[in-house]
Amino acid sequence: MTFTFDAPSEDKAVLETGPAFTPRFDEKGLVTAVVTDARDGELLMVAHMNAEALALTIETGVAHYYSRSRKGLWKKGESSGNLQTVEEIRTDCDQDAIWLKVSVAGHEATCHTGRRSCFYRTVSLDEGKATVTITDNHRQFDPAPVYSKN
Amino acid sequence: MTFTFDAPSEDKAVLETGPAFTPRFDEKGLVTAVVTDARDGELLMVAHMNAEALALTIETGVAHYYSRSRKGLWKKGESSGNLQTVEEIRTDCDQDAIWLKVSVAGHEATCHTGRRSCFYRTVSLDEGKATVTITDNHRQFDPAPVYSKN
């Protein structure tokens, strides 16, 4: 990557209204990334980015994350073809979260289960127990052959 | 709160397809909550919930979070009147993130700066520096008198 981020100001007013993008990475060096479909605003996934992933995303216009399970840079869609082209990047008032509006290539799927969104289940309280109900069971692709190649 | 969450299964298939909502709280006891406006899907804020906040949100239908800065339960909108009524709760494939679709009362503002959304700035690369540009500067309310009461 060809640029780095300056350290965040300790002045709240600078963080909230200044011209610099100075993401507040947590003690693990990560910020939260919320990813929505630029077409209709559907929430697709929540992930994390380190400085390298965030800089690459800004530079290349293709979404990169940090995989906490694999402990490394993750170019989303590299295996499945469902690359995310970034249409807009936003940040929040205290600069510790990132919002990506993306266009998804390939099968137009984001979830590793083959669904469009990772948020395919609704939560409710059923006789005192918290339960989930699948509200989107449509698979855009069959994940088994895609990920078995890895 | 009158119910608690069962511990998450270590079986990925149970987490992804089973009927139980068993949120995967991190080592600090928190999950990430993404909050959108039920009306038009606009991303309003990203926050965190501990088990108490999540259970209260499910039970009462009013969004509660855990304030990491104040280290305590946070009934969003209690000071400003901008309470969030929860229209739907979703969770993602590995149950470590929550999506709330809400209706915002009061000034219909979520950000403490008085804006509708905390994500009022767009990120870009400008001559090798990451910069932010304010894309929504409309204040739904003047935060100064509201929060000075605290």
Side-chain angles (χ1 to χ4, degrees):
Chain A
M1 73 193 188
T2 58
F3 74 97
T4 53
F5 301 102
D6 290 340
S9 172
E10 291 185 14
D11 181 342
K12 205 174 155 191
V14 172
L15 268 183
E16 292 178 0
T17 61
F21 178 47
T22 54
R24 288 175 54 237
F25 297 103
D26 68 11
E27 65 280 6
K28 292 177 181 166
L30 303 175
V31 286
T32 302
V34 173
V35 186
T36 63
D37 194 315
R39 193 180 44 182
D40 63 359
E42 180 78 3
L43 177 62
L44 301 177
M45 62 184 278
V46 171
H48 296 83
M49 290 174 157
N50 60 5
E52 182 186 13
L54 182 51
L56 275 171
T57 299
I58 295 171
E59 270 184 355
T60 65
V62 176
H64 292 70
Y65 304 98
Y66 178 82
S67 167
R68 294 180 300 175
S69 54
R70 293 194 297 270
K71 297 186 179 18
L73 188 69
W74 168 31
K75 185 177 178 183
K76 171 73 187 165
E78 205 164 27
S79 302
S80 67
N82 294 304
L83 292 166
Q84 298 175 341
T85 300
V86 177
E87 307 291 347
E88 188 178 352
I89 304 177
R90 293 206 184 193
T91 192
D92 67 345
C93 42
D94 60 358
Q95 301 202 27
D96 70 349
I98 311 295
W99 175 15
L100 301 185
K101 301 184 187 181
V102 305
S103 298
V104 183
H107 316 91
E108 298 188 12
T110 293
C111 189
H112 74 286
T113 65
R115 295 178 179 88
R116 182 184 174 205
S117 164
C118 294
F119 290 84
Y120 55 85
R121 292 175 296 180
T122 301
V123 174
S124 59
L125 198 58
D126 186 18
E127 297 183 358
K129 295 292 283 182
T131 59
V132 286
T133 306
I134 294 178
T135 42
D136 175 17
N137 212 15
H138 178 71
R139 312 296 173 111
Q140 308 278 105
F141 71 101
D142 178 3
V146 169
Y147 296 114
S148 67
K149 285 185 288 187
N150 291 339
Chain B
M1 74 193 186
T2 58
F3 75 98
T4 53
F5 301 101
D6 290 341
S9 172
E10 292 185 15
D11 182 341
K12 205 175 157 193
V14 172
L15 269 184
E16 292 179 1
T17 61
F21 178 48
T22 54
R24 288 175 56 235
F25 298 102
D26 67 12
E27 66 280 4
K28 292 177 181 167
L30 303 176
V31 287
T32 302
V34 173
V35 186
T36 63
D37 194 315
R39 193 178 44 181
D40 63 359
E42 180 78 3
L43 178 61
L44 300 177
M45 63 185 277
V46 171
H48 295 83
M49 292 175 155
N50 60 5
E52 182 186 14
L54 182 52
L56 275 170
T57 299
I58 294 171
E59 270 184 358
T60 66
V62 176
H64 292 70
Y65 304 97
Y66 178 81
S67 167
R68 293 180 299 175
S69 54
R70 294 195 297 270
K71 296 185 179 21
L73 188 70
W74 168 31
K75 184 178 180 182
K76 171 72 186 165
E78 205 164 29
S79 301
S80 66
N82 294 303
L83 292 165
Q84 298 175 341
T85 300
V86 177
E87 307 292 347
E88 188 179 353
I89 305 178
R90 293 207 184 191
T91 191
D92 68 345
C93 42
D94 60 356
Q95 301 204 26
D96 69 349
I98 311 296
W99 175 15
L100 301 184
K101 300 183 188 183
V102 305
S103 298
V104 183
H107 315 92
E108 298 187 11
T110 293
C111 189
H112 74 285
T113 63
R115 294 178 181 88
R116 182 184 173 204
S117 164
C118 295
F119 290 84
Y120 55 85
R121 290 175 297 180
T122 301
V123 174
S124 58
L125 198 56
D126 187 16
E127 297 182 358
K129 294 293 282 181
T131 59
V132 286
T133 307
I134 294 178
T135 41
D136 175 17
N137 212 15
H138 178 71
R139 313 296 173 112
Q140 309 278 104
F141 71 100
D142 177 3
V146 169
Y147 294 113
S148 67
K149 285 187 287 191
N150 292 340

